[in-house]
Amino acid sequence: MRVKAVLAALVLALTPATANAAANPYERGPAPTAASVEAARGTFAVTQVTVPVQTGFGGGTIYTPTSDLTFGAIAVSPGFLAPQSAIAHFGPRLASYGFVVITIDTLSGWDDPDSRGRQLLAALDYVVAHNTHVDASRLAVMGHSMGGGGTLRAAATRPALQAAVPLAPWSVTKNWSAIKVPTMVLGGQNDAVAPEAQHALPFYDSMTAAPEKAFLELRGGNHSAPASDNATVRKYTLSWLKRFVDDDLRYDQFLCPPPAPNTAISDYKDTCPHA
């Protein structure tokens, strides 16, 4: 009986699932499905803590998965004149899939993209210092409009970041060749505030040093669409962050091969296959 038990243990140890877990200790949560990546919540329960105004950013809310594990962390910024509530839905949703998330208020609604980039990095530094569940080697930034421009600035400033997701980004800077972070840009086809021809598309094209990049255009989308809580935004933001913050290859299936134009997506550009 003891020999059988040992053999059974050896067989279990050699199964692909166990081998994959050993190869990637950062995987969090069950294997994704087409339904799960579009769902409103993942499998982790989530706690939240309010952060008062800090020297480096305007305070915010930290969402943490209820677990003894460590997680990658994501800082999310709103856009021009927008409060934290405009992007707050990303906090509990992404945390429920296995990230520590801080959604921030900026020091002023008038803060420009470069200031928002500094505030995103300050928020990440705050989370690393104050949340014991954060793996400081796995950090990402995300933001809408001028917060998207701040996301690009943060990625250009700190190449050690694992991922960046600018949403309808706005910036007077058009050349982002300094970015060396995997970056997914989301835009709206009918964005009149940050028209893609002057913002999202030249930003994407200029990121020649990014190891991986993607551009997703929401069909008929206005300036607010990339920051909305809908199935397409849920699917692609989550998949990008999982793939590059957690190095979770299980999510690659939702990014490569790229989606063909459909009722939700009017254009998609990418660097598939991912290395």
Side-chain angles (χ1 to χ4, degrees), residues 216-248:
L216 186 156
E217 180 184 79
L218 294 167
R219 185 176 296 280
N222 61 17
H223 187 58
S224 298
S228 62
D229 185 23
N230 65 58
T232 304
V233 173
R234 289 174 182 173
K235 175 180 180 177
Y236 287 95
T237 55
L238 174 66
S239 297
W240 193 265
L241 292 165
K242 278 289 190 180
R243 174 61 180 82
F244 292 105
V245 177
D246 289 352
D247 197 26
D248 194 334

Side-chain angles (χ1 to χ4, degrees), residues 99-113:
F99 297 103
V100 174
V101 184
I102 180 167
T103 56
I104 70 169
D105 280 305
T106 49
L107 292 166
S108 164
W110 299 84
D111 290 336
D112 64 21

Side-chain angles (χ1 to χ4, degrees), residues 167-182:
L167 309 167
W170 187 101
S171 176
V172 295
T173 301
K174 304 305 178 187
N175 188 329
W176 294 101
S177 59
I179 290 179
K180 299 180 180 179
V181 174

Side-chain angles (χ1 to χ4, degrees), residues 1-243:
M1 292 296 292
R2 182 175 178 80
V3 172
K4 289 183 178 179
V6 171
L7 289 174
L10 286 172
V11 170
L12 180 62
L14 292 173
T15 61
T18 305
N20 289 340
N24 180 13
Y26 305 132
E27 286 183 4
R28 301 290 182 262
T33 65
S36 74
V37 294
E38 296 182 355
R41 289 291 183 273
T43 57
F44 287 96
V46 175
T47 61
Q48 68 182 70
V49 175
T50 300
V51 179
V53 176
Q54 302 294 306
T55 301
F57 64 102
T61 307
I62 298 175
Y63 300 87
T64 306
T66 302
S67 171
D68 294 329
L69 298 169
T70 58
F71 302 92
I74 306 161
V76 191
S77 169
F80 182 66
L81 296 180
Q84 177 191 171
S85 58
I87 44 85
H89 62 89
F90 287 110
R93 201 256 170 172
L94 290 172
S96 73
Y97 283 88
F99 297 103
V100 174
V101 184
I102 180 167
T103 56
I104 70 169
D105 280 305
T106 49
L107 292 166
S108 164
W110 299 84
D111 290 336
D112 64 21
D114 286 356
S115 173
R116 290 168 194 266
R118 292 190 295 271
Q119 292 181 62
L120 282 167
L121 295 178
L124 283 178
D125 292 341
Y126 180 93
V127 170
V128 168
H130 292 85
N131 191 304
T132 59
H133 291 282
V134 173
D135 179 345
S137 69
R138 298 189 290 125
L139 305 177
V141 286
M142 184 174 180
H144 176 242
S145 192
M146 281 196 182
T151 298
L152 294 167
R153 177 56 63 199
T157 301
R158 190 175 292 184
L161 293 174
Q162 298 300 294
V165 184
L167 309 167
W170 187 101
S171 176
V172 295
T173 301
K174 304 305 178 187
N175 188 329
W176 294 101
S177 59
I179 290 179
K180 299 180 180 179
V181 174
T183 302
M184 169 174 272
V185 182
L186 272 69
Q189 186 181 28
N190 296 332
D191 188 339
V193 177
E196 291 180 346
Q198 289 121 48
H199 294 271
L201 277 171
F203 298 166
Y204 172 82
D205 290 337
S206 72
M207 289 188 289
T208 54
E212 303 290 354
K213 62 179 182 174
F215 167 78
L216 186 156
E217 180 184 79
L218 294 167
R219 185 176 296 280
N222 61 17
H223 187 58
S224 298
S228 62
D229 185 23
N230 65 58
T232 304
V233 173
R234 289 174 182 173
K235 175 180 180 177
Y236 287 95
T237 55
L238 174 66
S239 297
W240 193 265
L241 292 165
K242 278 289 190 180
R243 174 61 180 82

